[in-house]
Amino acid sequence: MWSPTRRGFLGGLVGGAAAGIASGEPLALAGEAAAAEPKTPLKCTVNGALRETEVGADSSALDFVRRTCGLKGAKLGCGHGVCGACTIQVNGTPMVSCLLPAAHLHGAEVTTVEHFDPLHPIQKAFLAEDALQCGYCTPGFVVEAIAFHDAWRRDHGTSTPPRSAVDAALAGHVCRCGAYASIIAAVTAACEGKFDAGDFTMPRADGLEKVTGKAEYTVDVQLEGQLEGRILRSPHGAARVLELDLEAARAIDGVFAVVRLIIPAGTVRYAGQAIAAVAAKDRSVADLAMAAISVKYEVFKPVIGIAAARADGARPVYERKREKKQAPPAGEGPMLPTHWKGNERGPASSHILAKPHAADRAVKRAETEGWLADRVFKTQCQVHTPLEPRACVASWRDGRLEVRVSTQAVADMAVDICEHWELSRDQVTVLAPYVGGAFGSKVGLDMETRAAIELTRACGLPVRVVVDRHEELMIGGHRPAQELEMQVVISAERELDGIVSIARSDSGVSVGASTGFNVRLVYKGKERRLEDTDCITNGPPAKPFRGPGGPPAMFALEGCMDDLAVRMGEDSIQAHLRWDQHVVRRKMYAVLAEVPWWKDRPKEPGTGRYRRGVGLAIAAWPYFLSPGTHVRVDAGLDGITASAAIQDLGTGSRSVIANAVADVLGVPPEKIKVRVGDSRDAHGPMSAGSRTTASVYPAARRAAAELVKELVESAEGLGLVGVVRAPGGIKHRDGFMSWEDLAKLAPTTVIKRRPRDPGGYFLPLAVGGIAVGKNLAGAVTAMEVEVDTRLGQVRATRAWLGIGSGKLAAPALARSQAEGGVLQGVSYALYEERFLDPGTGRLLTHDLEHYRIAGIGDCPEIEVHFDTSGFTEANGGPVGLAELCTVGVAGAVGNAVFRATGWRPQELPIRPERVLAGVRA
Amino acid sequence: MIRFPLTAAEAKGEGELRAGGTDLQDLRHRGIRSGPITDLRDVQGLDAITDDLRIGSLVKIADLGRDLRLPPLIRKAANGLATPQIRAVATLGGNLLQRTRCWYFRSREFDCFKKGGTSCPAREGIANRHALFDRGPCISVHASTLGLAFLAYDAVAHFEGGPDRSIAEVYGDGSDPTRDHAVQAGEVLVGVSIRDAIPGEKGGYLRAIARAEAEWPIVEAGVRLWFEGERIAGARVVAGAVAGVPLRLPAVEQRLLGELANEATFARAAAVSIEGANPVPDSAFKVDFLPAVILSALERAMEA
Ligand SMILES: Cc1cc2nc3c(=O)[nH]c(=O)nc-3n(C[C@H](O)[C@H](O)[C@H](O)COP(=O)(O)OP(=O)(O)OC[C@H]3O[C@@H](n4cnc5c(N)ncnc54)[C@H](O)[C@@H]3O)c2cc1C
Ligand code: FES
Ligand code: FES
């Protein structure tokens, strides 16, 4: 049976990371709060069927449809009325069901996404336009858009709704993946009647499940006997747990397990750090148990922010050397070695193949000749906050552990779990069929998973732990805040002479944030001084976030480049062509130069109230892949199924596999069933570092090719004569036989490893299962903004993204991904910012009202230009683009604001108050 | 405990009133409010708008936005707040009497005056969404958009079994840090009457926000203008998100009276809106926004 871990529960000192809020008392979770005692009768119809039941005073309409009716399409996103994931129709009107009391449904007709069968034109349009990625927000959008569509058609026929009408109707919805551009296209086309009848395409392999609400995410899992788990978190940013008494909580009726999570020493380094966890029969009992846990803290003043970390006499966040070593990593790459001084770790330098002293000399030379840009930039802390929060359902039964978890690494997670609890591989299964977004935050074995496993281990029943939005925003992961001193030197000959980048990051208790790495990836020349210092604070740990380090680095560097181009009187494309040798980007500049709104861009800052400007920034990202990736294809009575232990976060890996196999077999992709999100399948990579597509696509093609070979041989073995391969099957003397029919007669299974890139890799060996391709992937981003100089609002009106993608494994999905990256970049540049209370370290932006994410009205028109060449050595295959598409956006927005107003933003987000202060100065 | 009274009279007394629940349930889910609920769901007759502009407290915000009998400022303010799915649920009464959105108040991790505490943590902490007119000791700003719109009408609030009160009286002067309004627990707001709407008056509403839609304002303002010939015969100017209560700005109104409605007039009038401003430091930037928002609201009024 289960052997309790001898290594103790926590791997790292802060438990490798995650953990959130709450005083000795629990934080309640909106929407799915358990029914409180007093019940009131409720009679209503749900999707046409009469329902009679009793509901609690505080239970929400969402709780009723999800738990009482078992309709899991409507989702809990925020719980406070902002995100719209919970939208249902009540008497035909869309409403937020998380705040609507269930009792108010009395006598009403309730309609949820499950009602729409056959598909509504809006759902078809969402499928055809690929107006979704992870799909977690999709049911809410669909239910709202259907109401809008039906009203529009009634009043306006098939005329085209203006963008403003669509935006206004969908203003109460948030899509963290940033699918707005396609959502607008889908709603518009459906209103025009384009999906009333007839065929439509479905580029996304799991789109149908997502638009109908059938996709089962971790938060939707309901196992027999499942308990509700909750994590008690420290309300103090810096403290020591002196006493922790779990007995009173254990004694409560309906409580099945209470476990300690904090390390024996009891050190608390950030508000939200996990202290203990409970599992109870339902949410309200779990909350009671949380309240019954008594914790005595010795509380210290926390170190919050870069300045506090560097202040004389600042309390050290880590005291002992051993503790420092176990500080969790903020990034995903290997950590550069360096030293600690107080709360500062560093500087670490990215000087491999660089000449820092030459850069210093260049700066010195610039005193007398050439040009120097010398500016300090500040960027904020951005949280990932995927719409599906961290969630895990763990179940320990008959010596086997089954872990359903919202993760971007099913295979690695299984390995980590085995190691951590000393289990064998065949004892552990990790499942993640649908993941509601991640963006880098869900790569590790984090606290919700640890807690769920510890709890199920303690009581033998399945335990679900789902964090609420407050916890997610607190401990879910973030991009570190940074201060960047950037110097760029251009010689008298107008050549790039040197770059100095001195960065300080606030990544909370985590270490290893890097900007220098990103600066190293662009422009010719080795004259670089690239230094990164972590300022350790009592904030929650950072996690890798889409292009870690990239957006701040490019905001600063490209801000300087733009500054130089302006001062030198050079056109920005000309200037970039002069300094940038990247083959693909050089082609992109030529394409961009012909884009009409680039050509017509204003050449001087405006003077009126509204000022338009267009800015440019570049991006680079390594081409990563996992050489050990395998794909399996089973062909038999059930048709053709391809599988790998990877996951689809909305990134489209299901479609990538389906398309690869279908292409080789010469059949339509719908013919290929794909299974992902199961750790038992053939080994696949985690979805991080943009490597899933580049790893899986070639492996899937190779497996498919092998299948073809074996099926052809089988055909011959079956006595067919004159067998030759043909699209979709084989030809033989007496006719044609499809692969499927052939497989029924001769079931075949193949597993193939990803072929090696013919040109080899940058480093001869894969490090940590990752190989680095020889080419760097590149992108060019141009943004158009409109600045309202009276009210300070910056609107991103247009975006152009030229991106070197290699072959497109799933073109429609690649476009969605790229558009989402642009949108997230805009959101980062203009709106998002996390705040911690300086006195306590507690989170202030604890909901999606205070933590602001771009909505549909903020989405620019986005054009994506894919350059499919340039990666011949990548097996002619695709390279990842998830990070590349977002890295340059903030830089381009900043430069566009400068071009519009003559004021250069050096601080993100570019909020209205900063704009007014800047423009008026 | 929860009860569902059938009349407003029965609703009086024990239990926190629940109308649409969009504010109350948020606070209850967060653990900031608790205790018995008196749910107004079954109370009849409070969801109508009459021809003489008496508006029942249970009228939905979405319905306020569509009723063409209502003056423009009311409609624009109603359509300009929150999101469609909130406006479909939330009521007039709940909007007027909602609690502040201050991030210290909405987090159960902090104590504050409004939660029985003895200090305002925002004063020591981060207060960049807070008061431009600091009337202490609490520096949160009032949340109600409809509050400022109705203040511009000197609207009359009707309470079950009690005397009518003006909207200004409903809010008080904002000096009591424990409250968002002066309505006592157990009192039931049954409706609000607009008595001094002027035929042909112009109205404008505007908020400064970072995003395009659905964001709580940095500063919001509403204006009403009516004319004699070309000259402004009357004006009401109100602002939100600047103080603990919606604020009427008589000094701005004064500058408009008797003037021609042009940019120069508007700019001169808007400029005096910040007289007496004593912002908390983090929110000092709002001095740039209040005149700008008022100027824009005045222009909006003329567009309509
Ligand atoms: C995403 C989002 C954005 C928002 N943006 C805005 C905005 O821009 N501007 C704005 O003004 N609001 C905004 N709101 C707040 C929203 O308008 C309020 O939550 C809503 O108006 C409250 O109405 P309700 O009927 O749901 O009130 P409830 O939640 O039912 O009640 C609110 C309070 O009023 C009391 N109450 C209700 N009815 C009565 C009555 N008849 N007599 C006495 N007391 C009563 C209740 O006891 C409670 O304390 C937003 C809300 C959300 C979720
Ligand atoms: S869950 Fe209801 S609006 Fe976000
Ligand atoms: S697709 Fe909208 S949140 Fe992921």
Side-chain angles (χ1 to χ4, degrees), chain A residues 413-429:
Chain A
M413 186 76 106
V415 172
D416 289 353
I417 288 172
C418 288
E419 253 179 45
H420 201 99
W421 281 277
E422 299 185 341
L423 299 166
S424 64
R425 276 308 302 275
D426 58 359
Q427 283 178 289
V428 176
T429 305

mmCIF file with all atom_site columns, all heavy atoms in Angstrom, chain A residues 413-429:
data_model
loop_
_atom_site.group_PDB
_atom_site.id
_atom_site.type_symbol
_atom_site.label_atom_id
_atom_site.label_alt_id
_atom_site.label_comp_id
_atom_site.label_asym_id
_atom_site.label_entity_id
_atom_site.label_seq_id
_atom_site.pdbx_PDB_ins_code
_atom_site.Cartn_x
_atom_site.Cartn_y
_atom_site.Cartn_z
_atom_site.occupancy
_atom_site.B_iso_or_equiv
_atom_site.pdbx_formal_charge
_atom_site.auth_seq_id
_atom_site.auth_comp_id
_atom_site.auth_asym_id
_atom_site.auth_atom_id
_atom_site.pdbx_PDB_model_num
ATOM 1   N N   . MET A 1 413 ? 4.463  15.634 -14.579 1.00 0.00 ? 413 MET A N   1
ATOM 2   C CA  . MET A 1 413 ? 3.767  15.636 -13.293 1.00 0.00 ? 413 MET A CA  1
ATOM 3   C C   . MET A 1 413 ? 3.736  14.228 -12.712 1.00 0.00 ? 413 MET A C   1
ATOM 4   O O   . MET A 1 413 ? 3.947  14.039 -11.511 1.00 0.00 ? 413 MET A O   1
ATOM 5   C CB  . MET A 1 413 ? 2.345  16.155 -13.509 1.00 0.00 ? 413 MET A CB  1
ATOM 6   C CG  . MET A 1 413 ? 1.578  16.342 -12.241 1.00 0.00 ? 413 MET A CG  1
ATOM 7   S SD  . MET A 1 413 ? 2.133  17.814 -11.396 1.00 0.00 ? 413 MET A SD  1
ATOM 8   C CE  . MET A 1 413 ? 0.760  18.868 -11.730 1.00 0.00 ? 413 MET A CE  1
ATOM 9   N N   . ALA A 1 414 ? 3.479  13.246 -13.555 1.00 0.00 ? 414 ALA A N   1
ATOM 10  C CA  . ALA A 1 414 ? 3.445  11.864 -13.071 1.00 0.00 ? 414 ALA A CA  1
ATOM 11  C C   . ALA A 1 414 ? 4.808  11.473 -12.512 1.00 0.00 ? 414 ALA A C   1
ATOM 12  O O   . ALA A 1 414 ? 4.915  10.853 -11.448 1.00 0.00 ? 414 ALA A O   1
ATOM 13  C CB  . ALA A 1 414 ? 3.028  10.922 -14.195 1.00 0.00 ? 414 ALA A CB  1
ATOM 14  N N   . VAL A 1 415 ? 5.861  11.873 -13.213 1.00 0.00 ? 415 VAL A N   1
ATOM 15  C CA  . VAL A 1 415 ? 7.214  11.561 -12.743 1.00 0.00 ? 415 VAL A CA  1
ATOM 16  C C   . VAL A 1 415 ? 7.467  12.238 -11.393 1.00 0.00 ? 415 VAL A C   1
ATOM 17  O O   . VAL A 1 415 ? 7.959  11.621 -10.444 1.00 0.00 ? 415 VAL A O   1
ATOM 18  C CB  . VAL A 1 415 ? 8.257  12.019 -13.787 1.00 0.00 ? 415 VAL A CB  1
ATOM 19  C CG1 . VAL A 1 415 ? 9.666  11.886 -13.234 1.00 0.00 ? 415 VAL A CG1 1
ATOM 20  C CG2 . VAL A 1 415 ? 8.083  11.229 -15.083 1.00 0.00 ? 415 VAL A CG2 1
ATOM 21  N N   . ASP A 1 416 ? 7.113  13.513 -11.311 1.00 0.00 ? 416 ASP A N   1
ATOM 22  C CA  . ASP A 1 416 ? 7.332  14.256 -10.062 1.00 0.00 ? 416 ASP A CA  1
ATOM 23  C C   . ASP A 1 416 ? 6.573  13.622 -8.904  1.00 0.00 ? 416 ASP A C   1
ATOM 24  O O   . ASP A 1 416 ? 7.081  13.541 -7.783  1.00 0.00 ? 416 ASP A O   1
ATOM 25  C CB  . ASP A 1 416 ? 6.865  15.714 -10.208 1.00 0.00 ? 416 ASP A CB  1
ATOM 26  C CG  . ASP A 1 416 ? 7.782  16.513 -11.117 1.00 0.00 ? 416 ASP A CG  1
ATOM 27  O OD1 . ASP A 1 416 ? 8.826  15.969 -11.518 1.00 0.00 ? 416 ASP A OD1 1
ATOM 28  O OD2 . ASP A 1 416 ? 7.445  17.679 -11.422 1.00 0.00 ? 416 ASP A OD2 1
ATOM 29  N N   . ILE A 1 417 ? 5.356  13.227 -9.164  1.00 0.00 ? 417 ILE A N   1
ATOM 30  C CA  . ILE A 1 417 ? 4.535  12.643 -8.095  1.00 0.00 ? 417 ILE A CA  1
ATOM 31  C C   . ILE A 1 417 ? 5.153  11.326 -7.631  1.00 0.00 ? 417 ILE A C   1
ATOM 32  O O   . ILE A 1 417 ? 5.272  11.074 -6.433  1.00 0.00 ? 417 ILE A O   1
ATOM 33  C CB  . ILE A 1 417 ? 3.084  12.444 -8.578  1.00 0.00 ? 417 ILE A CB  1
ATOM 34  C CG1 . ILE A 1 417 ? 2.397  13.808 -8.696  1.00 0.00 ? 417 ILE A CG1 1
ATOM 35  C CG2 . ILE A 1 417 ? 2.299  11.542 -7.617  1.00 0.00 ? 417 ILE A CG2 1
ATOM 36  C CD1 . ILE A 1 417 ? 1.030  13.766 -9.348  1.00 0.00 ? 417 ILE A CD1 1
ATOM 37  N N   . CYS A 1 418 ? 5.576  10.510 -8.578  1.00 0.00 ? 418 CYS A N   1
ATOM 38  C CA  . CYS A 1 418 ? 6.218  9.244  -8.214  1.00 0.00 ? 418 CYS A CA  1
ATOM 39  C C   . CYS A 1 418 ? 7.433  9.489  -7.338  1.00 0.00 ? 418 CYS A C   1
ATOM 40  O O   . CYS A 1 418 ? 7.635  8.833  -6.327  1.00 0.00 ? 418 CYS A O   1
ATOM 41  C CB  . CYS A 1 418 ? 6.664  8.489  -9.460  1.00 0.00 ? 418 CYS A CB  1
ATOM 42  S SG  . CYS A 1 418 ? 5.293  7.809  -10.360 1.00 0.00 ? 418 CYS A SG  1
ATOM 43  N N   . GLU A 1 419 ? 8.234  10.444 -7.734  1.00 0.00 ? 419 GLU A N   1
ATOM 44  C CA  . GLU A 1 419 ? 9.434  10.744 -6.979  1.00 0.00 ? 419 GLU A CA  1
ATOM 45  C C   . GLU A 1 419 ? 9.096  11.257 -5.585  1.00 0.00 ? 419 GLU A C   1
ATOM 46  O O   . GLU A 1 419 ? 9.650  10.821 -4.597  1.00 0.00 ? 419 GLU A O   1
ATOM 47  C CB  . GLU A 1 419 ? 10.217 11.848 -7.696  1.00 0.00 ? 419 GLU A CB  1
ATOM 48  C CG  . GLU A 1 419 ? 11.457 11.350 -8.381  1.00 0.00 ? 419 GLU A CG  1
ATOM 49  C CD  . GLU A 1 419 ? 12.159 12.499 -9.076  1.00 0.00 ? 419 GLU A CD  1
ATOM 50  O OE1 . GLU A 1 419 ? 12.307 13.591 -8.463  1.00 0.00 ? 419 GLU A OE1 1
ATOM 51  O OE2 . GLU A 1 419 ? 12.542 12.298 -10.232 1.00 0.00 ? 419 GLU A OE2 1
ATOM 52  N N   . HIS A 1 420 ? 8.160  12.174 -5.552  1.00 0.00 ? 420 HIS A N   1
ATOM 53  C CA  . HIS A 1 420 ? 7.851  12.852 -4.302  1.00 0.00 ? 420 HIS A CA  1
ATOM 54  C C   . HIS A 1 420 ? 7.280  11.898 -3.268  1.00 0.00 ? 420 HIS A C   1
ATOM 55  O O   . HIS A 1 420 ? 7.589  11.988 -2.091  1.00 0.00 ? 420 HIS A O   1
ATOM 56  C CB  . HIS A 1 420 ? 6.859  13.977 -4.573  1.00 0.00 ? 420 HIS A CB  1
ATOM 57  C CG  . HIS A 1 420 ? 6.841  15.022 -3.525  1.00 0.00 ? 420 HIS A CG  1
ATOM 58  N ND1 . HIS A 1 420 ? 7.514  16.204 -3.647  1.00 0.00 ? 420 HIS A ND1 1
ATOM 59  C CD2 . HIS A 1 420 ? 6.262  15.034 -2.304  1.00 0.00 ? 420 HIS A CD2 1
ATOM 60  C CE1 . HIS A 1 420 ? 7.336  16.913 -2.552  1.00 0.00 ? 420 HIS A CE1 1
ATOM 61  N NE2 . HIS A 1 420 ? 6.579  16.221 -1.718  1.00 0.00 ? 420 HIS A NE2 1
ATOM 62  N N   . TRP A 1 421 ? 6.410  11.002 -3.705  1.00 0.00 ? 421 TRP A N   1
ATOM 63  C CA  . TRP A 1 421 ? 5.771  10.094 -2.754  1.00 0.00 ? 421 TRP A CA  1
ATOM 64  C C   . TRP A 1 421 ? 6.327  8.670  -2.852  1.00 0.00 ? 421 TRP A C   1
ATOM 65  O O   . TRP A 1 421 ? 5.753  7.752  -2.321  1.00 0.00 ? 421 TRP A O   1
ATOM 66  C CB  . TRP A 1 421 ? 4.250  10.103 -2.961  1.00 0.00 ? 421 TRP A CB  1
ATOM 67  C CG  . TRP A 1 421 ? 3.619  11.305 -2.323  1.00 0.00 ? 421 TRP A CG  1
ATOM 68  C CD1 . TRP A 1 421 ? 3.259  11.451 -1.013  1.00 0.00 ? 421 TRP A CD1 1
ATOM 69  C CD2 . TRP A 1 421 ? 3.299  12.544 -2.948  1.00 0.00 ? 421 TRP A CD2 1
ATOM 70  N NE1 . TRP A 1 421 ? 2.733  12.707 -0.792  1.00 0.00 ? 421 TRP A NE1 1
ATOM 71  C CE2 . TRP A 1 421 ? 2.741  13.401 -1.956  1.00 0.00 ? 421 TRP A CE2 1
ATOM 72  C CE3 . TRP A 1 421 ? 3.433  13.048 -4.252  1.00 0.00 ? 421 TRP A CE3 1
ATOM 73  C CZ2 . TRP A 1 421 ? 2.313  14.694 -2.228  1.00 0.00 ? 421 TRP A CZ2 1
ATOM 74  C CZ3 . TRP A 1 421 ? 2.999  14.345 -4.526  1.00 0.00 ? 421 TRP A CZ3 1
ATOM 75  C CH2 . TRP A 1 421 ? 2.456  15.152 -3.520  1.00 0.00 ? 421 TRP A CH2 1
ATOM 76  N N   . GLU A 1 422 ? 7.416  8.538  -3.579  1.00 0.00 ? 422 GLU A N   1
ATOM 77  C CA  . GLU A 1 422 ? 8.082  7.247  -3.720  1.00 0.00 ? 422 GLU A CA  1
ATOM 78  C C   . GLU A 1 422 ? 7.128  6.153  -4.173  1.00 0.00 ? 422 GLU A C   1
ATOM 79  O O   . GLU A 1 422 ? 6.906  5.148  -3.503  1.00 0.00 ? 422 GLU A O   1
ATOM 80  C CB  . GLU A 1 422 ? 8.785  6.884  -2.406  1.00 0.00 ? 422 GLU A CB  1
ATOM 81  C CG  . GLU A 1 422 ? 9.841  7.931  -2.074  1.00 0.00 ? 422 GLU A CG  1
ATOM 82  C CD  . GLU A 1 422 ? 10.662 7.596  -0.847  1.00 0.00 ? 422 GLU A CD  1
ATOM 83  O OE1 . GLU A 1 422 ? 10.199 6.766  -0.049  1.00 0.00 ? 422 GLU A OE1 1
ATOM 84  O OE2 . GLU A 1 422 ? 11.754 8.174  -0.712  1.00 0.00 ? 422 GLU A OE2 1
ATOM 85  N N   . LEU A 1 423 ? 6.540  6.398  -5.306  1.00 0.00 ? 423 LEU A N   1
ATOM 86  C CA  . LEU A 1 423 ? 5.624  5.430  -5.902  1.00 0.00 ? 423 LEU A CA  1
ATOM 87  C C   . LEU A 1 423 ? 6.230  4.951  -7.211  1.00 0.00 ? 423 LEU A C   1
ATOM 88  O O   . LEU A 1 423 ? 7.096  5.613  -7.777  1.00 0.00 ? 423 LEU A O   1
ATOM 89  C CB  . LEU A 1 423 ? 4.273  6.093  -6.178  1.00 0.00 ? 423 LEU A CB  1
ATOM 90  C CG  . LEU A 1 423 ? 3.556  6.633  -4.938  1.00 0.00 ? 423 LEU A CG  1
ATOM 91  C CD1 . LEU A 1 423 ? 2.416  7.547  -5.346  1.00 0.00 ? 423 LEU A CD1 1
ATOM 92  C CD2 . LEU A 1 423 ? 3.031  5.478  -4.099  1.00 0.00 ? 423 LEU A CD2 1
ATOM 93  N N   . SER A 1 424 ? 5.739  3.815  -7.685  1.00 0.00 ? 424 SER A N   1
ATOM 94  C CA  . SER A 1 424 ? 6.243  3.346  -8.967  1.00 0.00 ? 424 SER A CA  1
ATOM 95  C C   . SER A 1 424 ? 5.340  3.906  -10.071 1.00 0.00 ? 424 SER A C   1
ATOM 96  O O   . SER A 1 424 ? 4.186  4.274  -9.833  1.00 0.00 ? 424 SER A O   1
ATOM 97  C CB  . SER A 1 424 ? 6.254  1.822  -9.013  1.00 0.00 ? 424 SER A CB  1
ATOM 98  O OG  . SER A 1 424 ? 4.920  1.364  -8.925  1.00 0.00 ? 424 SER A OG  1
ATOM 99  N N   . ARG A 1 425 ? 5.879  3.944  -11.270 1.00 0.00 ? 425 ARG A N   1
ATOM 100 C CA  . ARG A 1 425 ? 5.170  4.584  -12.376 1.00 0.00 ? 425 ARG A CA  1
ATOM 101 C C   . ARG A 1 425 ? 3.804  3.966  -12.629 1.00 0.00 ? 425 ARG A C   1
ATOM 102 O O   . ARG A 1 425 ? 2.852  4.644  -12.984 1.00 0.00 ? 425 ARG A O   1
ATOM 103 C CB  . ARG A 1 425 ? 6.015  4.538  -13.655 1.00 0.00 ? 425 ARG A CB  1
ATOM 104 C CG  . ARG A 1 425 ? 7.038  5.654  -13.798 1.00 0.00 ? 425 ARG A CG  1
ATOM 105 C CD  . ARG A 1 425 ? 6.433  7.042  -13.606 1.00 0.00 ? 425 ARG A CD  1
ATOM 106 N NE  . ARG A 1 425 ? 5.347  7.328  -14.533 1.00 0.00 ? 425 ARG A NE  1
ATOM 107 C CZ  . ARG A 1 425 ? 5.515  7.788  -15.747 1.00 0.00 ? 425 ARG A CZ  1
ATOM 108 N NH1 . ARG A 1 425 ? 6.713  8.026  -16.201 1.00 0.00 ? 425 ARG A NH1 1
ATOM 109 N NH2 . ARG A 1 425 ? 4.472  8.029  -16.515 1.00 0.00 ? 425 ARG A NH2 1
ATOM 110 N N   . ASP A 1 426 ? 3.680  2.668  -12.441 1.00 0.00 ? 426 ASP A N   1
ATOM 111 C CA  . ASP A 1 426 ? 2.380  2.075  -12.743 1.00 0.00 ? 426 ASP A CA  1
ATOM 112 C C   . ASP A 1 426 ? 1.352  2.332  -11.638 1.00 0.00 ? 426 ASP A C   1
ATOM 113 O O   . ASP A 1 426 ? 0.198  1.973  -11.756 1.00 0.00 ? 426 ASP A O   1
ATOM 114 C CB  . ASP A 1 426 ? 2.516  0.566  -13.035 1.00 0.00 ? 426 ASP A CB  1
ATOM 115 C CG  . ASP A 1 426 ? 3.140  -0.175 -11.874 1.00 0.00 ? 426 ASP A CG  1
ATOM 116 O OD1 . ASP A 1 426 ? 3.474  0.498  -10.864 1.00 0.00 ? 426 ASP A OD1 1
ATOM 117 O OD2 . ASP A 1 426 ? 3.291  -1.395 -11.962 1.00 0.00 ? 426 ASP A OD2 1
ATOM 118 N N   . GLN A 1 427 ? 1.772  2.984  -10.563 1.00 0.00 ? 427 GLN A N   1
ATOM 119 C CA  . GLN A 1 427 ? 0.798  3.323  -9.521  1.00 0.00 ? 427 GLN A CA  1
ATOM 120 C C   . GLN A 1 427 ? 0.144  4.683  -9.760  1.00 0.00 ? 427 GLN A C   1
ATOM 121 O O   . GLN A 1 427 ? -0.831 5.013  -9.105  1.00 0.00 ? 427 GLN A O   1
ATOM 122 C CB  . GLN A 1 427 ? 1.496  3.373  -8.151  1.00 0.00 ? 427 GLN A CB  1
ATOM 123 C CG  . GLN A 1 427 ? 1.798  2.017  -7.546  1.00 0.00 ? 427 GLN A CG  1
ATOM 124 C CD  . GLN A 1 427 ? 2.526  2.188  -6.227  1.00 0.00 ? 427 GLN A CD  1
ATOM 125 O OE1 . GLN A 1 427 ? 3.685  2.575  -6.191  1.00 0.00 ? 427 GLN A OE1 1
ATOM 126 N NE2 . GLN A 1 427 ? 1.835  1.914  -5.139  1.00 0.00 ? 427 GLN A NE2 1
ATOM 127 N N   . VAL A 1 428 ? 0.724  5.471  -10.647 1.00 0.00 ? 428 VAL A N   1
ATOM 128 C CA  . VAL A 1 428 ? 0.286  6.869  -10.750 1.00 0.00 ? 428 VAL A CA  1
ATOM 129 C C   . VAL A 1 428 ? -0.229 7.198  -12.145 1.00 0.00 ? 428 VAL A C   1
ATOM 130 O O   . VAL A 1 428 ? 0.434  6.921  -13.150 1.00 0.00 ? 428 VAL A O   1
ATOM 131 C CB  . VAL A 1 428 ? 1.445  7.829  -10.406 1.00 0.00 ? 428 VAL A CB  1
ATOM 132 C CG1 . VAL A 1 428 ? 1.031  9.277  -10.616 1.00 0.00 ? 428 VAL A CG1 1
ATOM 133 C CG2 . VAL A 1 428 ? 1.913  7.603  -8.985  1.00 0.00 ? 428 VAL A CG2 1
ATOM 134 N N   . THR A 1 429 ? -1.412 7.755  -12.191 1.00 0.00 ? 429 THR A N   1
ATOM 135 C CA  . THR A 1 429 ? -1.949 8.256  -13.458 1.00 0.00 ? 429 THR A CA  1
ATOM 136 C C   . THR A 1 429 ? -2.294 9.726  -13.293 1.00 0.00 ? 429 THR A C   1
ATOM 137 O O   . THR A 1 429 ? -2.932 10.105 -12.305 1.00 0.00 ? 429 THR A O   1
ATOM 138 C CB  . THR A 1 429 ? -3.249 7.509  -13.828 1.00 0.00 ? 429 THR A CB  1
ATOM 139 O OG1 . THR A 1 429 ? -2.982 6.119  -13.829 1.00 0.00 ? 429 THR A OG1 1
ATOM 140 C CG2 . THR A 1 429 ? -3.745 7.941  -15.195 1.00 0.00 ? 429 THR A CG2 1
#
